[in-house]
Every structure is written in C-alpha cells, then in structure tokens.
Amino acid sequence: MRILAVSGSLREGSFNTSLLRAAVEAAPDGVELELWEGLADLPLYDQDLEDVADVPESVRRLRENWAAADAILFATPEYNGSVPGSLKNAIDWASRPRLDAALRNKTVAVVGASTGQFGALWAQQDLKRILGIAGARVVGTEIPVSRAHDRIDAEGRLLDGELFEQLRLHLTTLASEAVGAPERVAA
Ligand SMILES: Cc1cc2nc3c(=O)[nH]c(=O)nc-3n(C[C@H](O)[C@H](O)[C@H](O)COP(=O)(O)O)c2cc1C
C-alpha cells in the first residue's frame, strides 16, 4: 500500500511537513508513506491549459503521481480561516478532466497543524469539503494539531507520543478504506 503525503505548506520549517514526516515513521506495517513535493512548481490553474495532451510538465507529474497512489494524506496549515491557495490550486488541477481526474474516487484523509489554539480545524473542514467536491473519497475525522510549536521541535521532531499514536490510527483507517475503494473509471 503506497500512500502519498501532501503538505499544504511551502515553508522550509513547516510544522505540517514535519507532521507528515512523523506520519512516515508512524505508518503501520505494510503501509509506505511518501512525501510528495511539487506544489510550488504548479502554475495557477487555467482552464485554457486543460487539454490533457498539452498540460504543463508539473501538472502532468501531479496528475500521474496522485493517480498512481493508493491513497493520499493531506496536511494543511490554516491561512485566514481556510486552506492555503497553493493547496487549493493543486486540487483544482487534480480535479480535471472530471471523468479521468487524479482525485476521482481517490481515498484521502486530512490532518492539520497551526500555531493557534484550534489546530487548523477550519482549514481541515474546508479541505474535506473541497476534496469531496473534487471527487475524492474522504475518510476519517480531522486531527487538529494546535500550538504546533509546543508539540514539534525546531528539528521537526514530534514531542507528543499521543499525537504519534493518533497518526498511526489515522493511517490505519486510511489504508483499510483504500483497500475497499472502487477502481477509478477512465473516461
Ligand atoms: C497568511 C497567514 C494566515 C494565517 N491564518 C491563520 C488562521 O486563520 N488560523 C490559524 O490558526 N493560524 C493562522 N496562521 C498561522 C499558521 O497556522 C502558522 O503560521 C503555521 O505554522 C503555518 O503552518 P506551517 O508551519 O506548516 O507553515 C496564518 C499564517 C499565515 C502566514
């Protein structure tokens, strides 16, 4: 089982990316979690570039990588009460062409970290809604990691054993849901 881990933060010292690195360690037996880095390479979504044969290389890679994964775990920061534009942009690209989209029937789950006290809860709720509209099968609940600076150290290590176990459980759910997922139907 290969699960892709997509961080919605481009920041070098991102708590969300650290969370996904911890999730790599927390993955249960038989689950391989791989960080996907390609968000910053994507152009802004433009429907005029939609033609499958002609899309930019970074978009082609996104669609290929996301489509090939058995499932995807997203980690989102919260920017002004919602998901960062860069993450929404990637999802827009991966939601088209509608009938053969990389996100169509893809089993996905979300986590999120913020330095505030609500742990990017609004961003995670929005992200689940957006992913569902984009055609993904969203599973599991939100995992709000509040006051991330107290729970992840300067080297990006998780200081919270309970959170590590939560990540493991989340991945176990995601993996088992992905096993029973319907095949993506090509257009
Ligand atoms: C433009 C911007 C808007 C933000 N808005 C929110 C917000 O609405 N809620 C919140 O909890 N934190 C907010 N924050 C703080 C982020 O949660 C914090 O910077 C977090 O560390 C970002 O995630 P990262 O460490 O993965 O980059 C905001 C930060 C930025 C840069």
Side-chain angles (χ1 to χ4, degrees), residues 7-11 13-17 76-82 113-120 122 148:
S7 172
S9 175
L10 304 179
R11 198 168 70 86
S14 161
F15 294 120
N16 282 280
T17 307
T76 185
E78 186 165 289
Y79 285 177
N80 299 305
S82 191
S114 83
T115 47
Q117 51 179 320
F118 299 108
W122 280 349

PDB file of all heavy atoms in Angstrom, residues 7-11 13-17 76-82 113-120 122 148, ligand 1:
ATOM      1  N   SER A   7       1.879  18.073   1.790  1.00  0.00           N
ATOM      2  CA  SER A   7       1.815  19.196   2.729  1.00  0.00           C
ATOM      3  C   SER A   7       1.353  20.451   2.010  1.00  0.00           C
ATOM      4  O   SER A   7       1.837  20.771   0.927  1.00  0.00           O
ATOM      5  CB  SER A   7       3.199  19.449   3.360  1.00  0.00           C
ATOM      6  OG  SER A   7       3.161  20.655   4.127  1.00  0.00           O
ATOM      7  N   GLY A   8       0.446  21.171   2.632  1.00  0.00           N
ATOM      8  CA  GLY A   8      -0.053  22.422   2.046  1.00  0.00           C
ATOM      9  C   GLY A   8       0.817  23.610   2.352  1.00  0.00           C
ATOM     10  O   GLY A   8       0.467  24.737   1.990  1.00  0.00           O
ATOM     11  N   SER A   9       1.955  23.384   3.003  1.00  0.00           N
ATOM     12  CA  SER A   9       2.851  24.499   3.310  1.00  0.00           C
ATOM     13  C   SER A   9       4.130  24.407   2.495  1.00  0.00           C
ATOM     14  O   SER A   9       4.730  23.341   2.390  1.00  0.00           O
ATOM     15  CB  SER A   9       3.221  24.484   4.802  1.00  0.00           C
ATOM     16  OG  SER A   9       4.173  25.501   5.076  1.00  0.00           O
ATOM     17  N   LEU A  10       4.560  25.539   1.957  1.00  0.00           N
ATOM     18  CA  LEU A  10       5.809  25.580   1.189  1.00  0.00           C
ATOM     19  C   LEU A  10       6.976  25.993   2.090  1.00  0.00           C
ATOM     20  O   LEU A  10       8.118  26.036   1.646  1.00  0.00           O
ATOM     21  CB  LEU A  10       5.678  26.598   0.039  1.00  0.00           C
ATOM     22  CG  LEU A  10       4.507  26.381  -0.929  1.00  0.00           C
ATOM     23  CD1 LEU A  10       4.491  27.477  -1.990  1.00  0.00           C
ATOM     24  CD2 LEU A  10       4.613  25.004  -1.585  1.00  0.00           C
ATOM     25  N   ARG A  11       6.682  26.295   3.351  1.00  0.00           N
ATOM     26  CA  ARG A  11       7.688  26.845   4.261  1.00  0.00           C
ATOM     27  C   ARG A  11       8.729  25.784   4.633  1.00  0.00           C
ATOM     28  O   ARG A  11       8.374  24.644   4.955  1.00  0.00           O
ATOM     29  CB  ARG A  11       6.958  27.312   5.528  1.00  0.00           C
ATOM     30  CG  ARG A  11       7.682  28.262   6.408  1.00  0.00           C
ATOM     31  CD  ARG A  11       6.693  28.833   7.431  1.00  0.00           C
ATOM     32  NE  ARG A  11       6.288  27.847   8.406  1.00  0.00           N
ATOM     33  CZ  ARG A  11       6.952  27.578   9.515  1.00  0.00           C
ATOM     34  NH1 ARG A  11       8.100  28.195   9.768  1.00  0.00           N
ATOM     35  NH2 ARG A  11       6.496  26.688  10.379  1.00  0.00           N
ATOM     36  N   GLY A  13      10.563  25.359   7.305  1.00  0.00           N
ATOM     37  CA  GLY A  13      10.411  24.749   8.646  1.00  0.00           C
ATOM     38  C   GLY A  13       8.965  24.419   8.976  1.00  0.00           C
ATOM     39  O   GLY A  13       8.582  24.472  10.147  1.00  0.00           O
ATOM     40  N   SER A  14       8.194  24.063   7.992  1.00  0.00           N
ATOM     41  CA  SER A  14       6.748  23.850   8.167  1.00  0.00           C
ATOM     42  C   SER A  14       6.407  22.779   9.207  1.00  0.00           C
ATOM     43  O   SER A  14       6.916  21.657   9.167  1.00  0.00           O
ATOM     44  CB  SER A  14       6.145  23.439   6.823  1.00  0.00           C
ATOM     45  OG  SER A  14       4.895  22.807   7.009  1.00  0.00           O
ATOM     46  N   PHE A  15       5.496  23.138  10.118  1.00  0.00           N
ATOM     47  CA  PHE A  15       5.006  22.161  11.087  1.00  0.00           C
ATOM     48  C   PHE A  15       4.179  21.076  10.395  1.00  0.00           C
ATOM     49  O   PHE A  15       4.166  19.924  10.819  1.00  0.00           O
ATOM     50  CB  PHE A  15       4.166  22.852  12.170  1.00  0.00           C
ATOM     51  CG  PHE A  15       4.971  23.780  13.041  1.00  0.00           C
ATOM     52  CD1 PHE A  15       4.672  25.130  13.117  1.00  0.00           C
ATOM     53  CD2 PHE A  15       6.042  23.299  13.785  1.00  0.00           C
ATOM     54  CE1 PHE A  15       5.417  25.990  13.923  1.00  0.00           C
ATOM     55  CE2 PHE A  15       6.805  24.148  14.588  1.00  0.00           C
ATOM     56  CZ  PHE A  15       6.486  25.497  14.660  1.00  0.00           C
ATOM     57  N   ASN A  16       3.471  21.468   9.347  1.00  0.00           N
ATOM     58  CA  ASN A  16       2.651  20.481   8.629  1.00  0.00           C
ATOM     59  C   ASN A  16       3.515  19.452   7.903  1.00  0.00           C
ATOM     60  O   ASN A  16       3.196  18.255   7.905  1.00  0.00           O
ATOM     61  CB  ASN A  16       1.687  21.190   7.664  1.00  0.00           C
ATOM     62  CG  ASN A  16       0.509  21.769   8.413  1.00  0.00           C
ATOM     63  OD1 ASN A  16      -0.428  21.048   8.752  1.00  0.00           O
ATOM     64  ND2 ASN A  16       0.586  23.051   8.744  1.00  0.00           N
ATOM     65  N   THR A  17       4.597  19.913   7.307  1.00  0.00           N
ATOM     66  CA  THR A  17       5.505  18.967   6.652  1.00  0.00           C
ATOM     67  C   THR A  17       6.154  18.068   7.711  1.00  0.00           C
ATOM     68  O   THR A  17       6.314  16.860   7.494  1.00  0.00           O
ATOM     69  CB  THR A  17       6.566  19.729   5.831  1.00  0.00           C
ATOM     70  OG1 THR A  17       5.893  20.642   4.948  1.00  0.00           O
ATOM     71  CG2 THR A  17       7.421  18.786   5.004  1.00  0.00           C
ATOM     72  N   THR A  76      -2.692  20.280   6.192  1.00  0.00           N
ATOM     73  CA  THR A  76      -2.924  21.671   5.808  1.00  0.00           C
ATOM     74  C   THR A  76      -2.689  22.657   6.948  1.00  0.00           C
ATOM     75  O   THR A  76      -3.143  22.432   8.067  1.00  0.00           O
ATOM     76  CB  THR A  76      -4.356  21.874   5.262  1.00  0.00           C
ATOM     77  OG1 THR A  76      -4.485  23.218   4.801  1.00  0.00           O
ATOM     78  CG2 THR A  76      -5.431  21.573   6.284  1.00  0.00           C
ATOM     79  N   PRO A  77      -1.994  23.743   6.647  1.00  0.00           N
ATOM     80  CA  PRO A  77      -1.984  24.875   7.571  1.00  0.00           C
ATOM     81  C   PRO A  77      -3.321  25.599   7.435  1.00  0.00           C
ATOM     82  O   PRO A  77      -4.122  25.242   6.562  1.00  0.00           O
ATOM     83  CB  PRO A  77      -0.871  25.787   7.046  1.00  0.00           C
ATOM     84  CG  PRO A  77      -0.271  25.115   5.877  1.00  0.00           C
ATOM     85  CD  PRO A  77      -1.205  24.026   5.452  1.00  0.00           C
ATOM     86  N   GLU A  78      -3.565  26.576   8.270  1.00  0.00           N
ATOM     87  CA  GLU A  78      -4.763  27.411   8.101  1.00  0.00           C
ATOM     88  C   GLU A  78      -4.304  28.824   7.800  1.00  0.00           C
ATOM     89  O   GLU A  78      -3.555  29.417   8.571  1.00  0.00           O
ATOM     90  CB  GLU A  78      -5.603  27.389   9.380  1.00  0.00           C
ATOM     91  CG  GLU A  78      -6.932  28.104   9.227  1.00  0.00           C
ATOM     92  CD  GLU A  78      -7.878  27.748  10.359  1.00  0.00           C
ATOM     93  OE1 GLU A  78      -8.357  26.606  10.390  1.00  0.00           O
ATOM     94  OE2 GLU A  78      -8.111  28.631  11.211  1.00  0.00           O
ATOM     95  N   TYR A  79      -4.740  29.332   6.655  1.00  0.00           N
ATOM     96  CA  TYR A  79      -4.443  30.716   6.276  1.00  0.00           C
ATOM     97  C   TYR A  79      -5.764  31.469   6.242  1.00  0.00           C
ATOM     98  O   TYR A  79      -6.637  31.159   5.419  1.00  0.00           O
ATOM     99  CB  TYR A  79      -3.786  30.775   4.889  1.00  0.00           C
ATOM    100  CG  TYR A  79      -2.333  30.349   4.821  1.00  0.00           C
ATOM    101  CD1 TYR A  79      -1.683  30.306   3.592  1.00  0.00           C
ATOM    102  CD2 TYR A  79      -1.614  30.004   5.959  1.00  0.00           C
ATOM    103  CE1 TYR A  79      -0.346  29.925   3.492  1.00  0.00           C
ATOM    104  CE2 TYR A  79      -0.289  29.609   5.875  1.00  0.00           C
ATOM    105  CZ  TYR A  79       0.343  29.567   4.640  1.00  0.00           C
ATOM    106  OH  TYR A  79       1.650  29.179   4.542  1.00  0.00           O
ATOM    107  N   ASN A  80      -5.888  32.438   7.101  1.00  0.00           N
ATOM    108  CA  ASN A  80      -7.115  33.254   7.151  1.00  0.00           C
ATOM    109  C   ASN A  80      -8.374  32.385   7.146  1.00  0.00           C
ATOM    110  O   ASN A  80      -9.318  32.627   6.393  1.00  0.00           O
ATOM    111  CB  ASN A  80      -7.113  34.273   6.013  1.00  0.00           C
ATOM    112  CG  ASN A  80      -5.919  35.211   6.133  1.00  0.00           C
ATOM    113  OD1 ASN A  80      -5.738  35.837   7.184  1.00  0.00           O
ATOM    114  ND2 ASN A  80      -5.084  35.277   5.113  1.00  0.00           N
ATOM    115  N   GLY A  81      -8.331  31.386   7.969  1.00  0.00           N
ATOM    116  CA  GLY A  81      -9.524  30.581   8.199  1.00  0.00           C
ATOM    117  C   GLY A  81      -9.793  29.494   7.190  1.00  0.00           C
ATOM    118  O   GLY A  81     -10.845  28.851   7.254  1.00  0.00           O
ATOM    119  N   SER A  82      -8.863  29.240   6.270  1.00  0.00           N
ATOM    120  CA  SER A  82      -9.115  28.182   5.283  1.00  0.00           C
ATOM    121  C   SER A  82      -7.791  27.583   4.783  1.00  0.00           C
ATOM    122  O   SER A  82      -6.749  27.800   5.383  1.00  0.00           O
ATOM    123  CB  SER A  82      -9.936  28.757   4.120  1.00  0.00           C
ATOM    124  OG  SER A  82     -10.397  27.700   3.286  1.00  0.00           O
ATOM    125  N   ALA A 113      -1.954  21.366  11.160  1.00  0.00           N
ATOM    126  CA  ALA A 113      -1.293  21.968  12.316  1.00  0.00           C
ATOM    127  C   ALA A 113      -1.284  23.482  12.168  1.00  0.00           C
ATOM    128  O   ALA A 113      -1.114  24.015  11.074  1.00  0.00           O
ATOM    129  CB  ALA A 113       0.142  21.449  12.422  1.00  0.00           C
ATOM    130  N   SER A 114      -1.496  24.147  13.305  1.00  0.00           N
ATOM    131  CA  SER A 114      -1.326  25.605  13.306  1.00  0.00           C
ATOM    132  C   SER A 114      -0.729  26.009  14.643  1.00  0.00           C
ATOM    133  O   SER A 114      -0.756  25.229  15.610  1.00  0.00           O
ATOM    134  CB  SER A 114      -2.660  26.314  13.071  1.00  0.00           C
ATOM    135  OG  SER A 114      -3.378  26.417  14.276  1.00  0.00           O
ATOM    136  N   THR A 115      -0.231  27.209  14.695  1.00  0.00           N
ATOM    137  CA  THR A 115       0.362  27.688  15.942  1.00  0.00           C
ATOM    138  C   THR A 115      -0.717  28.225  16.884  1.00  0.00           C
ATOM    139  O   THR A 115      -0.435  28.512  18.034  1.00  0.00           O
ATOM    140  CB  THR A 115       1.398  28.784  15.627  1.00  0.00           C
ATOM    141  OG1 THR A 115       0.813  29.714  14.696  1.00  0.00           O
ATOM    142  CG2 THR A 115       2.644  28.193  15.002  1.00  0.00           C
ATOM    143  N   GLY A 116      -1.917  28.371  16.380  1.00  0.00           N
ATOM    144  CA  GLY A 116      -3.027  28.845  17.202  1.00  0.00           C
ATOM    145  C   GLY A 116      -3.624  27.715  18.016  1.00  0.00           C
ATOM    146  O   GLY A 116      -3.123  26.583  18.013  1.00  0.00           O
ATOM    147  N   GLN A 117      -4.737  28.017  18.682  1.00  0.00           N
ATOM    148  CA  GLN A 117      -5.294  27.010  19.607  1.00  0.00           C
ATOM    149  C   GLN A 117      -6.330  26.090  18.979  1.00  0.00           C
ATOM    150  O   GLN A 117      -6.867  25.208  19.657  1.00  0.00           O
ATOM    151  CB  GLN A 117      -5.837  27.685  20.860  1.00  0.00           C
ATOM    152  CG  GLN A 117      -6.779  28.832  20.609  1.00  0.00           C
ATOM    153  CD  GLN A 117      -7.290  29.430  21.921  1.00  0.00           C
ATOM    154  OE1 GLN A 117      -7.582  28.704  22.864  1.00  0.00           O
ATOM    155  NE2 GLN A 117      -7.367  30.750  21.982  1.00  0.00           N
ATOM    156  N   PHE A 118      -6.640  26.278  17.681  1.00  0.00           N
ATOM    157  CA  PHE A 118      -7.671  25.418  17.081  1.00  0.00           C
ATOM    158  C   PHE A 118      -7.106  24.399  16.094  1.00  0.00           C
ATOM    159  O   PHE A 118      -7.843  23.613  15.503  1.00  0.00           O
ATOM    160  CB  PHE A 118      -8.750  26.276  16.425  1.00  0.00           C
ATOM    161  CG  PHE A 118      -9.457  27.174  17.415  1.00  0.00           C
ATOM    162  CD1 PHE A 118      -9.232  28.543  17.417  1.00  0.00           C
ATOM    163  CD2 PHE A 118     -10.294  26.621  18.380  1.00  0.00           C
ATOM    164  CE1 PHE A 118      -9.856  29.352  18.349  1.00  0.00           C
ATOM    165  CE2 PHE A 118     -10.923  27.431  19.319  1.00  0.00           C
ATOM    166  CZ  PHE A 118     -10.704  28.812  19.314  1.00  0.00           C
ATOM    167  N   GLY A 119      -5.810  24.402  15.892  1.00  0.00           N
ATOM    168  CA  GLY A 119      -5.169  23.355  15.098  1.00  0.00           C
ATOM    169  C   GLY A 119      -5.655  23.254  13.658  1.00  0.00           C
ATOM    170  O   GLY A 119      -5.842  22.166  13.131  1.00  0.00           O
ATOM    171  N   ALA A 120      -5.854  24.416  13.026  1.00  0.00           N
ATOM    172  CA  ALA A 120      -6.240  24.426  11.602  1.00  0.00           C
ATOM    173  C   ALA A 120      -7.534  23.643  11.362  1.00  0.00           C
ATOM    174  O   ALA A 120      -7.707  23.030  10.312  1.00  0.00           O
ATOM    175  CB  ALA A 120      -5.090  23.879  10.728  1.00  0.00           C
ATOM    176  N   TRP A 122     -10.681  24.713  10.914  1.00  0.00           N
ATOM    177  CA  TRP A 122     -11.474  25.245   9.800  1.00  0.00           C
ATOM    178  C   TRP A 122     -10.870  24.845   8.454  1.00  0.00           C
ATOM    179  O   TRP A 122     -11.587  24.502   7.524  1.00  0.00           O
ATOM    180  CB  TRP A 122     -11.555  26.775   9.881  1.00  0.00           C
ATOM    181  CG  TRP A 122     -12.571  27.280  10.849  1.00  0.00           C
ATOM    182  CD1 TRP A 122     -13.543  26.539  11.470  1.00  0.00           C
ATOM    183  CD2 TRP A 122     -12.715  28.625  11.306  1.00  0.00           C
ATOM    184  NE1 TRP A 122     -14.290  27.359  12.288  1.00  0.00           N
ATOM    185  CE2 TRP A 122     -13.814  28.637  12.214  1.00  0.00           C
ATOM    186  CE3 TRP A 122     -12.036  29.810  11.064  1.00  0.00           C
ATOM    187  CZ2 TRP A 122     -14.239  29.795  12.854  1.00  0.00           C
ATOM    188  CZ3 TRP A 122     -12.464  30.974  11.693  1.00  0.00           C
ATOM    189  CH2 TRP A 122     -13.551  30.960  12.579  1.00  0.00           C
ATOM    190  N   ALA A 148       1.325  24.119  17.514  1.00  0.00           N
ATOM    191  CA  ALA A 148       2.274  23.188  16.888  1.00  0.00           C
ATOM    192  C   ALA A 148       3.714  23.423  17.372  1.00  0.00           C
ATOM    193  O   ALA A 148       4.494  22.476  17.495  1.00  0.00           O
ATOM    194  CB  ALA A 148       2.199  23.326  15.374  1.00  0.00           C
TER     195      ALA A 148
HETATM  196  C1  LIG B   1      -1.104  34.262   5.774  1.00  0.00           C
HETATM  197  C2  LIG B   1      -1.283  33.539   7.077  1.00  0.00           C
HETATM  198  C3  LIG B   1      -2.545  33.403   7.623  1.00  0.00           C
HETATM  199  C4  LIG B   1      -2.733  32.670   8.808  1.00  0.00           C
HETATM  200  N1  LIG B   1      -4.006  32.481   9.265  1.00  0.00           N
HETATM  201  C5  LIG B   1      -4.213  31.624  10.317  1.00  0.00           C
HETATM  202  C6  LIG B   1      -5.542  31.263  10.705  1.00  0.00           C
HETATM  203  O1  LIG B   1      -6.527  31.693  10.136  1.00  0.00           O
HETATM  204  N2  LIG B   1      -5.682  30.400  11.751  1.00  0.00           N
HETATM  205  C7  LIG B   1      -4.595  29.872  12.420  1.00  0.00           C
HETATM  206  O2  LIG B   1      -4.783  29.075  13.344  1.00  0.00           O
HETATM  207  N3  LIG B   1      -3.326  30.202  12.071  1.00  0.00           N
HETATM  208  C8  LIG B   1      -3.115  31.060  11.040  1.00  0.00           C
HETATM  209  N4  LIG B   1      -1.829  31.372  10.644  1.00  0.00           N
HETATM  210  C9  LIG B   1      -0.700  30.827  11.413  1.00  0.00           C
HETATM  211  C10 LIG B   1      -0.301  29.455  10.860  1.00  0.00           C
HETATM  212  O3  LIG B   1      -1.134  28.497  11.445  1.00  0.00           O
HETATM  213  C11 LIG B   1       1.150  29.155  11.206  1.00  0.00           C
HETATM  214  O4  LIG B   1       1.970  30.091  10.540  1.00  0.00           O
HETATM  215  C12 LIG B   1       1.532  27.723  10.835  1.00  0.00           C
HETATM  216  O5  LIG B   1       2.779  27.460  11.412  1.00  0.00           O
HETATM  217  C13 LIG B   1       1.598  27.534   9.323  1.00  0.00           C
HETATM  218  O6  LIG B   1       1.837  26.188   9.018  1.00  0.00           O
HETATM  219  P1  LIG B   1       3.302  25.622   8.619  1.00  0.00           P
HETATM  220  O7  LIG B   1       4.138  25.674   9.875  1.00  0.00           O
HETATM  221  O8  LIG B   1       3.048  24.250   8.165  1.00  0.00           O
HETATM  222  O9  LIG B   1       3.868  26.521   7.551  1.00  0.00           O
HETATM  223  C14 LIG B   1      -1.620  32.126   9.485  1.00  0.00           C
HETATM  224  C15 LIG B   1      -0.335  32.303   8.924  1.00  0.00           C
HETATM  225  C16 LIG B   1      -0.165  32.973   7.759  1.00  0.00           C
HETATM  226  C17 LIG B   1       1.227  33.098   7.165  1.00  0.00           C
END
